[in-house]
Amino acid sequence: MHYRLCGLTLAVFLSACSGGSDSEPEKAPSSFTPQVTVVPKIDAPTPGSAVFSYGPEDGISRSSVSEEPASKSQKITVKGIPVQFTASAGHLISTGSIPIGTGLNYRDADAAIFYTAYTRDDLPKENRPVTFVFNGGPGGASAALDLGFLGPKSYDDDASDKAKTLLWKDNPNTILDKTDLVFVDPVGTGYSEAIWPNKNEDFWGVDSDAKVLRSFITRYINANNRQSSPKYIYGVSYGGFRVPIIAQLLIEKGESGYLPDPSKKPAKVLSGLILNSPILDINSDCSSRYVSCHGVLPTYAMVKAFHDKSVEKPDFDLPAFLGDARLFAVTFNNLYKSVFKSVDQKISDRSQWNIYLQKPESEVFLNRLYKITGIGKLYKLGEGADSNPWIANPNMDSREFVKRFSPQETLQMNDGRYFLEKDTVDPVVDRTDVNYDHIKSYLAGFADYKAKSRYLGSNGKIILHWNYMPDQHLSVTGDRFASAIPDLTFDVTLNPNLKVLIQHGYYDLNTPFHKTEVDIENANLSSRIPIKTYLGGHGIGPGRTDGYEKVLAELDAFYDQPAVVKLAAFNAALPEARNP
């Protein structure tokens, strides 16, 4: 397998911290009467007292991290109904083995994992779902999915501007009415750090990351007596990649991973997965590998239709438009395999492609590419590569597309409806988020968590160090290198009652919706896993998705849907035709 050269660089400079240990006292000579020494009491750490570092070599001492959460009783109104809940924030220590006792008495402490939780204490736990939420990157913290997205509060711009201070309002798009929420920061993000002698980079890989986060979920469930609660995992972008792997570990462990429920009710291992804008298989991504770009063609078509204002016309038939784009993607893929695959390789061979360009059908194909993407011009037999970019290489990836779509402007990778402002970095590289700036003061006021450290929203070093080599000791079969498809297949096979929902935006050039459709179809999972698509970009969320009420309605339906072997009724709601 040949790989394209693709790298992202973000510099993060944070201060390091270190812990110490006490040496054993010297024994007094037997001929002397020992003096009584009063050993001063060492205070246990309090929530927010530890100082965290986020570099590859960093780790923190176990004794400096408190497992006591800070918490505060809160109340919001959701869909006109008052919702009483507790907001909590703090750390749990992920471990490699079963914990012994409580407090500091643990073996194999791996990492201090920070979380923010919102829990309804007035509802029976055995019926109340709890959802663990993960951001992507890898290297992204969870605050961007909490504030103004799934969590109970959003930043009030207008009121804050008038009052000249940070003010919050109830988030009308929260899903707290359906499920308790636990927002989790992976190692090296937020306030999460490895525990010495482990280092942060020890957990910067597909399986080491999933293992430590699975351990956190298990610890949270046991510490809060949620064994009998329905459990869901929600992941955005790379979070959608890590979720099936975490699920595989939870399902394989089964009920044995949980302590007995004090209520004697049976444990529920895992109920469902929500994958928002996931990349499930990097090996089928033509921006990273020398493979066909047919999976992104329908996204090119939707971006062009948006800028042509076609989608605004009353007679625009979206299902028919997408069905046609998917059919052309099949034609494109077939021609890639038979005619121009060698053009796109590390060592290019244009012989087959040049022969094809002399045939009349080449006009039909290239002119269809022009019409569906808006790039280039109409092709006439005999024209050279200097006059049409599709002749130079018809397998154009997303990065090339965003540069060529408009000569004067560059499209955003995360949302092809918008152009980058002058002298700005694409959000796909610069993962800053206003909520990362606000989360520290928000947690202090809303959950009474007063942190000393800076909250690290995005750690660019993680991307540079990330290890996609899978753990060969896991029982999942298939080629797992840079792919979560084998894990997802394992999940729904071993647990046929597991509910899975995939969400995508039509204008997302980062993780294209049709690429996921193709990946799911090639894995023979199309009849099992619904893929919902929306008029939005990367990371389907409020404010970035037209008709977000549809997203909320389908999330409600997903949580309300009983665990069944086949989600036929839920699948039927998808209007667009599948890739034939």
Side-chain angles (χ1 to χ4, degrees):
M1 175 73 71
H2 291 296
Y3 309 135
R4 298 179 190 269
L5 295 176
C6 179
L8 303 177
T9 305
L10 288 176
V12 180
F13 300 96
L14 291 167
S15 60
C17 64
S18 61
S21 60
D22 296 326
S23 59
E24 186 175 319
E26 222 176 70
K27 199 181 265 188
S30 58
S31 59
F32 293 90
T33 302
Q35 294 182 349
V36 177
T37 302
V38 178
V39 179
K41 181 181 178 182
I42 299 175
D43 293 331
T46 58
S49 61
V51 178
F52 298 94
S53 298
Y54 309 99
E57 301 288 328
D58 289 327
I60 195 169
S61 66
R62 170 65 186 88
S63 61
S64 64
V65 182
S66 170
E67 285 198 298
E68 178 187 354
S71 63
K72 209 170 187 180
S73 181
Q74 298 288 357
K75 185 177 181 181
I76 62 169
T77 300
V78 184
K79 300 171 186 175
I81 300 173
V83 174
Q84 189 83 30
F85 63 98
T86 298
S88 303
H91 289 85
L92 285 174
I93 305 300
S94 291
T95 62
S97 61
I98 296 175
I100 302 172
T102 59
L104 301 179
N105 299 317
Y106 281 88
R107 289 183 186 149
D108 303 330
D110 295 327
I113 303 296
F114 181 76
Y115 68 94
T116 305
Y118 307 105
T119 55
R120 292 279 298 271
D121 300 319
D122 58 333
L123 298 175
K125 290 182 177 179
E126 66 269 20
N127 299 323
R128 177 67 174 169
V130 55
T131 300
F132 297 88
V133 183
F134 297 94
N135 203 348
S142 64
L145 305 181
D146 178 354
L147 307 182
F149 200 140
L150 300 173
K153 288 290 183 177
S154 58
Y155 178 56
D156 193 330
D157 295 278
D158 295 335
S160 296
D161 289 343
K162 292 177 182 177
K164 296 183 179 180
T165 188
L166 193 64
L167 296 175
W168 299 91
K169 61 182 179 181
D170 293 354
N171 179 16
N173 301 303
T174 184
I175 58 173
L176 189 55
D177 60 324
K178 286 293 178 182
T179 175
D180 291 342
L181 294 164
V182 183
F183 295 89
V184 188
D185 294 334
V187 177
T189 73
Y191 297 129
S192 295
E193 185 177 358
I195 297 289
W196 284 111
N198 301 297
K199 300 175 292 185
N200 286 336
E201 65 180 350
D202 293 337
F203 305 102
W204 292 352
V206 288
D207 288 330
S208 57
D209 166 84
K211 287 177 182 177
V212 76
L213 295 176
R214 184 266 302 172
S215 173
F216 165 82
I217 290 175
T218 303
R219 286 233 50 228
Y220 181 90
I221 293 299
N222 290 333
N224 293 278
N225 296 327
R226 301 302 298 265
Q227 294 91 332
S228 61
S229 299
K231 301 167 188 66
Y232 293 82
I233 317 177
Y234 183 113
V236 175
S237 193
Y238 181 84
F241 186 102
R242 66 165 39 109
V243 161
I245 306 174
I246 297 173
Q248 182 268 129
L249 294 170
L250 286 168
I251 292 170
E252 191 172 46
K253 194 75 173 177
E255 293 183 19
S256 66
Y258 303 128
L259 297 175
D261 192 320
S263 69
K264 309 298 183 182
K265 296 181 176 67
K268 296 183 178 76
V269 176
L270 190 61
S271 301
L273 312 177
I274 302 171
L275 315 180
N276 183 336
S277 308
I279 179 165
L280 293 172
D281 189 353
I282 295 172
N283 300 303
S284 61
D285 175 21
C286 72
S287 293
S288 304
R289 306 289 192 261
Y290 292 106
V291 294
S292 172
C293 287
H294 66 292
V296 72
L297 277 178
T299 301
Y300 294 166
M302 285 299 296
V303 169
K304 181 177 184 296
F306 175 84
H307 289 283
D308 286 346
K309 302 190 183 302
S310 298
V311 294
E312 298 176 6
K313 298 176 181 177
D315 60 346
F316 183 73
D317 189 335
L318 179 60
F321 180 83
L322 287 172
D324 187 48
R326 290 185 176 105
L327 283 172
F328 180 66
V330 174
T331 300
F332 181 98
N333 190 41
N334 290 335
L335 280 173
Y336 173 84
K337 294 175 181 177
S338 62
V339 174
F340 58 86
K341 179 178 180 179
S342 58
V343 176
D344 192 45
Q345 303 304 301
K346 189 173 184 179
I347 301 176
S348 180
D349 178 3
R350 298 183 59 85
S351 56
Q352 288 292 108
W353 178 236
N354 288 336
I355 292 172
Y356 179 78
L357 289 173
Q358 304 308 312
K359 298 179 179 180
E361 54 262 37
S362 66
E363 285 193 11
V364 177
F365 173 65
L366 287 172
N367 288 338
R368 178 69 173 131
L369 269 177
Y370 163 67
K371 291 177 182 178
I372 203 172
T373 65
I375 292 176
K377 64 175 187 176
L378 291 173
Y379 173 69
K380 293 182 180 179
L381 285 175
E383 288 184 336
D386 57 339
S387 63
N388 193 326
W390 296 110
I391 299 174
N393 185 0
N395 200 44
M396 187 180 296
D397 64 31
S398 296
R399 290 173 298 165
E400 189 69 16
F401 176 82
V402 299
K403 294 175 185 176
R404 290 185 175 273
F405 186 79
S406 176
Q408 291 78 32
E409 301 171 289
T410 302
L411 289 172
Q412 289 188 19
M413 283 284 291
N414 279 346
D415 196 327
R417 293 174 294 180
Y418 307 110
F419 292 99
L420 292 174
E421 295 182 7
K422 189 176 180 181
D423 299 325
T424 58
V425 180
D426 196 312
V428 78
V429 177
D430 180 13
R431 296 178 176 87
T432 57
D433 188 290
V434 67
N435 293 308
Y436 295 151
D437 300 327
H438 298 332
I439 186 67
K440 189 171 184 177
S441 60
Y442 166 79
L443 288 174
F446 202 66
D448 204 26
Y449 185 85
K450 299 176 177 64
K452 288 187 176 180
S453 288
R454 170 198 173 197
Y455 184 93
L456 184 58
S458 180
N459 188 345
K461 291 183 180 180
I462 292 180
I463 294 176
L464 300 178
H465 285 78
W466 200 255
N467 183 6
Y468 282 96
M469 189 61 66
D471 184 344
Q472 300 301 323
H473 295 93
L474 293 183
S475 60
V476 176
T477 59
D479 185 4
R480 296 184 65 251
F481 179 76
S483 176
I485 292 292
D487 299 88
L488 186 58
T489 303
F490 178 95
D491 296 341
V492 298
T493 301
L494 199 63
N495 182 359
N497 292 324
L498 186 72
K499 299 187 289 182
V500 183
L501 171 64
I502 298 178
Q503 301 173 313
H504 269 291
Y506 289 127
Y507 307 107
D508 181 3
L509 291 156
N510 189 5
T511 58
F513 71 94
H514 185 57
K515 177 191 171 308
T516 296
E517 290 177 341
V518 172
D519 288 342
I520 291 296
E521 182 176 346
N522 289 340
N524 297 314
L525 296 174
S526 294
S527 62
R528 179 66 178 80
I529 299 177
I531 301 174
K532 297 294 183 177
T533 44
Y534 310 93
L535 294 169
H538 186 68
I540 298 301
R544 298 179 296 222
T545 308
D546 295 348
Y548 193 71
E549 61 275 5
K550 178 186 175 187
V551 179
L552 290 175
E554 290 179 347
L555 282 172
D556 285 353
F558 179 75
Y559 278 102
D560 291 342
Q561 184 81 24
V564 290
V565 174
K566 292 185 179 179
L567 301 178
F570 199 67
N571 275 329
L574 187 67
E576 297 84 4
R578 286 273 179 241
N579 184 14

